[in-house]
Amino acid sequence: MSTFESVLHSLNKQSQIITDADRVTAEQLLAEALALRTAFAKLKAKSVAVIYTDSISFVTALIAFDGFCEKIYLCSKDSGKDTPQDVYRWSVKSTSDFTEVTQGGELSQPLQTKWYLASSGTSGKPKWFSHSFTNLISQIRVSDTLKNLCWANLYEPHRFAGLQVLLQALLSGASLVVTAQTSLIDKVKIFAQQGVSAISATPSMWRQLLMTNQLQSLSLSNITLGGEIADQGILDSLSYIFPKANIRHIYASTEAGIGFVVSDKGAGFPKSWLQEGVNNAELTVDDNQHLRIKPKGELDKSLDSLIDNNGFLDTQDRVDLINDRVLFLGRASGIINVGGNKVHPEKVESVLLSVNGVQQSRVYAKANSVLGALVEADIVIGKSFDRSSVLKNIREECKLQLQRFEIPVKLTQVANIRVNSSGKLSRSNVND
């Protein structure tokens, strides 16, 4: 049975985590994890919530408790409050809660630990979904080329995407740069100083990175997008700046794990995958235009209501088949109903972003007593662009690419558009 400790030990002990103040190798992490497991031997076969305070302590705890505890909940300070009552809560600041030190931290008979990750919790309390360590590392790649990469993690490591970056870096023998700097410009400066060559981020975060005008200071060979729809515009922009880089967008979710990876620099994915499958998963599109996926890994039991008789999970992401591609339209739950017509905010945002000078966009519903809702949008216009010309081009492009009910009735220019803690476009607290 594979555990985080055993896989890290067998694959590579030269990987390292680089922070603003420290540099810790995998070998040091393994030693610290053994000491931690010994110190908290009372947690054997128990359930533990590992609350994120810093990357090194977080990773050390995951190595220590995988295969040792029955369940591990990966938590932020907030989500740690929503774990079951019988779960022990561990963080660097709470170690005084466990003062008993006993022997017996050895991993002689490892358990099949369940790793629990929380959904974003945008509507109420977060939901917890379980994964096995084997499933979590199913898409991790190892090679001499990947071993020489230096990754930057722009995701929170207690979330699925951030955990994937962390595992990819450590298990492939690469380096991982983590900084506490909050300014994107300052982050990029540190990434340049540390020689970062690989970054994974949401399309919204990539747009913000492009807006810093500092991204060209990096020599990126690996670029990954995930968490949101990767439209052709953002893929083309990154391809232009980094023509030799491997650019991939990943379809994944906290609930189901990684579904598939697209590396041809095109939006959506090839239509042929609906017949052939991809990345150990089968794909299909149902009558509601929902993408359904059947991964080979075990799915959390709480998803049973979304799984059909053939074992396909309803992702609740709507797609459209255009020529030889399957293109993502957006979440079914995010549709704006304009007089009975369905509008996908992501589709409209993609059109707005295709206009030269529009750096970011957010589309949302505005309540209307007659039609139920109307479409409005916030946009960020580049400082060097003439506002009136950009707005004129937006109107023309919308008429060409959108139906009348999809066209925003109001455009508001804003200085910036917020992304949430997951790096995704924030769609909460929007005018209704």
Side-chain angles (χ1 to χ4, degrees):
M1 183 187 300
S2 297
T3 63
F4 195 170
E5 178 190 32
S6 64
V7 174
L8 182 59
H9 191 276
S10 64
L11 285 178
N12 202 301
K13 290 189 289 185
Q14 300 307 308
S15 53
Q16 57 184 338
I17 298 178
I18 303 169
T19 68
D20 295 329
D22 209 352
R23 183 183 296 258
V24 179
T25 66
E27 194 164 11
Q28 291 173 305
L29 289 171
L30 287 165
E32 289 295 327
L34 179 59
L36 180 64
R37 187 186 305 141
T38 301
F40 299 122
K42 60 163 37 175
L43 296 183
K44 188 170 185 177
K46 304 291 186 181
S47 297
V48 61
V50 179
I51 299 172
Y52 177 78
T53 54
D54 68 272
S55 292
I56 292 176
S57 300
F58 190 71
V59 174
T60 301
L62 296 181
I63 298 171
F65 298 141
D66 182 46
F68 189 71
C69 295
E70 181 183 17
K71 300 175 182 177
I72 301 177
Y73 289 82
L74 281 65
C75 303
S76 65
K77 293 178 181 178
D78 292 330
S79 64
K81 302 172 185 177
D82 295 316
T83 53
Q85 292 299 313
D86 61 343
V87 174
Y88 290 89
R89 287 158 180 79
W90 185 91
S91 71
V92 173
K93 296 180 180 179
S94 68
T95 54
S96 59
D97 294 342
F98 305 104
T99 55
E100 177 184 344
V101 178
T102 51
Q103 298 301 311
E106 297 80 6
L107 202 58
S108 55
Q109 294 182 329
L111 300 172
Q112 182 66 62
T113 303
K114 289 283 190 181
W115 293 47
Y116 283 82
L117 289 95
S119 63
S120 59
T122 52
S123 55
K125 290 185 177 181
K127 297 179 181 179
W128 295 95
F129 297 94
S130 66
H131 300 270
S132 68
F133 180 70
T134 301
N135 286 345
L136 287 171
I137 65 171
S138 63
Q139 297 296 323
I140 300 300
R141 300 175 298 153
V142 179
S143 70
D144 289 339
T145 300
L146 295 172
K147 180 174 62 177
N148 295 320
L149 291 178
C150 182
W151 285 88
N153 200 354
L154 288 172
Y155 295 111
E156 296 172 320
H158 55 82
R159 297 191 181 277
F160 186 85
L163 181 62
Q164 285 295 308
V165 175
L166 187 153
L167 293 173
Q168 175 63 53
L170 289 180
L171 299 184
S172 65
S175 299
L176 176 65
V177 175
V178 181
T179 176
Q181 296 292 333
T182 56
S183 162
L184 270 184
I185 291 179
D186 291 338
K187 285 180 184 288
V188 173
K189 287 180 180 178
I190 290 174
F191 295 163
Q193 292 169 3
Q194 296 294 349
V196 165
S197 56
I199 295 179
S200 181
T202 62
S204 290
M205 187 62 74
W206 278 112
R207 291 188 185 95
Q208 290 196 342
L209 287 168
L210 289 169
M211 288 170 61
T212 67
N213 294 319
Q214 302 295 316
L215 201 54
Q216 293 87 336
S217 66
L218 303 178
S219 298
L220 299 182
S221 59
N222 280 61
I223 291 172
T224 304
L225 303 91
E228 297 174 314
I229 297 174
D231 63 86
Q232 198 60 55
I234 189 64
L235 293 171
D236 289 346
S237 294
L238 293 172
S239 296
Y240 178 78
I241 298 175
F242 303 102
K244 296 181 179 180
N246 296 316
I247 299 178
R248 310 182 308 150
H249 50 104
I250 296 177
Y251 181 82
S253 69
T254 301
E255 298 89 342
I258 289 183
F260 50 85
V261 179
V262 185
S263 56
D264 61 7
K265 299 185 181 181
F269 61 88
K271 187 177 178 180
S272 61
W273 288 5
L274 295 177
Q275 288 75 42
E276 302 168 0
V278 62
N279 293 149
N280 297 319
E282 297 178 51
L283 306 173
T284 189
V285 178
D286 66 21
D287 294 339
N288 295 317
Q289 288 185 273
H290 289 202
L291 177 67
R292 287 182 174 265
I293 185 169
K294 184 180 180 181
K296 287 195 173 179
E298 182 182 356
L299 293 171
D300 189 280
K301 294 294 185 183
S302 65
L303 297 172
D304 284 352
S305 62
L306 296 175
I307 301 174
D308 64 21
N309 293 333
N310 296 315
F312 283 86
L313 171 71
D314 182 359
T315 66
Q316 300 182 74
D317 285 316
R318 298 189 81 234
V319 296
D320 196 4
L321 280 61
I322 300 179
N323 299 323
D324 63 345
R325 303 294 287 189
V326 179
L327 301 179
F328 288 95
L329 296 175
R331 298 288 290 176
S333 59
I335 289 175
I336 300 172
N337 192 319
V338 181
N341 297 299
K342 296 179 179 180
V343 179
H344 289 279
E346 295 91 341
K347 176 184 177 182
V348 182
E349 287 164 359
S350 180
V351 173
L352 297 177
L353 289 166
S354 71
V355 176
N356 194 28
V358 178
Q359 296 180 318
Q360 284 185 299
S361 69
R362 180 184 65 174
V363 171
Y364 50 91
K366 177 67 175 180
N368 181 271
S369 59
V370 177
L371 297 175
L374 293 173
V375 178
E376 294 191 1
D378 294 339
I379 56 172
V380 176
I381 298 177
K383 295 180 180 179
S384 62
F385 291 86
D386 177 70
R387 180 178 182 274
S388 59
S389 296
V390 172
L391 292 176
K392 177 184 177 183
N393 292 337
I394 288 175
R395 287 192 291 270
E396 292 177 350
E397 202 63 34
C398 285
K399 289 178 181 178
L400 286 173
Q401 298 193 49
L402 299 174
Q403 298 184 66
R404 185 174 180 180
F405 59 83
E406 295 176 308
I407 299 175
V409 298
K410 180 181 179 182
L411 292 172
T412 302
Q413 183 180 354
V414 296
N416 58 73
I417 293 175
R418 189 171 65 89
V419 297
N420 61 25
S421 59
S422 300
K424 300 179 184 179
L425 193 68
S426 179
R427 298 188 184 278
S428 61
N429 300 320
V430 176
N431 294 335
D432 55 10

